Amino acid sequence: MSRELLQNVRVLDPVSGSDRIADTLITEGQIEAIAEKIAEFPADTQVRDCQGLILGPGLTDIYSHSGEPGFEDRETLESLMQAAAAGGFTRVAILPDTSPPVDNLAGLALLQQHIRNLPPGLPSLYFWGALTAGVKGQQMAELGELASCPVVGFADGLPLSNPALVRRLLEYIKPLGKSVALWPCDRTLAGNGAVREGAVSVRLGLPGIPASAETSALAAILELVASAGTGVHIMRVSTARSVELIRDAKARGLPVTASVTWMHLLLNVGAISGNSKDAGGKNALTASLPYDPNLRLEPPLGNLSDQLALIQAVKDGVIDAIAIDHNPHTYEEKTVAFADSPPGAMGLELALPLLWHGLVETGEFSALELWRVLSTRPAVCLGQTPATVAPGVSAELILFDPQMSWTVDGPSLKSRSANTPWLGQQLAGKVVQTWIN
């Protein structure tokens, strides 16, 4: 029988609000006991001194992209799941923009077949069903059929430009009892922009995307939610004004939740210049090349005021969760001019250590606050029961060493792609063990 005793470990449990030093006994994948001191245990127990380490529930990612099927040179399902496990994620929800997309039962069955062929011990993988056929934003997908299958909800992961279609979607989905995730973005206002509009974009000489490209679309979505009464998750919040709109919507009792991607909390548009002065002292990169294509994101990194508003909104609960939005690309795809590069960056392996050192060690967040928005609240947004650290429950846990040093390079990464601005840098913080239910 497999038994492990973790002694003197810092146990975080956002569900109960507990943060304490304790011994934890895990037997055959079950948490058997948590106590200040466990003095009696079977002789065959593997004992480990975990002083300085953190034991918490596995993390949940609300949405990320998979290369497989269709773009296996970017990422396979196996490499994505290995990267997730390495980063502490035990649950990952995948957006439907694969090739073929998950807009019908056949597309979903193909992905499920791929999963059955993977080795055991990997994180749980969930799928969003497409809102529209071919994720093209023109007509509804087979929502009724998909709703009868194990999809976590419906999302294209792309903006929907037709408000009439959004209204019909919300009205149709309401009785199906599934989540809906929408990304507010007006492509006509965004135009050919590559960065957030403002003083820094002018200095960079890059076309700017106004904040109104997000906020005008968000305001329209919130009006449709108020009319239809269908719960909606707002993806990729990136502006201070969006925070105000969501705060007001929640105060009015609208059924909305929201998430921000992890890089928008750590960085702002100033990071693109490679100049810490432009970042206003909020640059989590120890070194950055100017115009690094790995900083080309959708939505773009906000201005400093946006970054500060997003951090506060997560603390206040206006924004419910942090999403990773892992978006792998090959070296060749990203080795182009900044404005020509495809938007997106990998992140499953990097988010926890960088958020820990960028937000917890700086005093912005408590350890429990960070774990809550990476584990408990994302699971709730997906309509799932969150993992917890308590006796008698299955062990869905990670053991995190916040001081363990490692270098972000090809051999250290489980992901098939390495499109990150932290490539080549030395980080502190590593998940050293994962228990997957």
Side-chain angles (χ1 to χ4, degrees), residues 95-109:
L95 290 168
D97 58 342
T98 50
S99 182
V102 187
D103 62 350
N104 56 52
L105 295 183
L108 181 61

Side-chain angles (χ1 to χ4, degrees), residues 257-326:
T257 58
S259 59
V260 58
T261 71
W262 70 287
M263 288 181 66
H264 287 80
L265 293 178
L266 292 177
L267 303 173
N268 58 63
V269 66
I272 299 170
S273 72
N275 187 336
S276 59
K277 290 183 179 180
D278 279 342
K282 285 289 181 181
N283 191 347
L285 285 166
T286 56
S288 176
L289 293 174
Y291 301 94
D292 185 345
N294 293 311
L295 291 172
R296 173 79 196 279
L297 306 175
E298 277 190 334
L301 291 171
N303 293 308
L304 177 59
S305 58
D306 296 314
Q307 182 189 9
L308 296 176
L310 292 169
I311 291 172
Q312 189 60 48
V314 174
K315 284 180 64 67
D316 295 343
V318 175
I319 292 179
D320 299 83
I322 298 175
I324 306 306
D325 207 8
H326 177 84

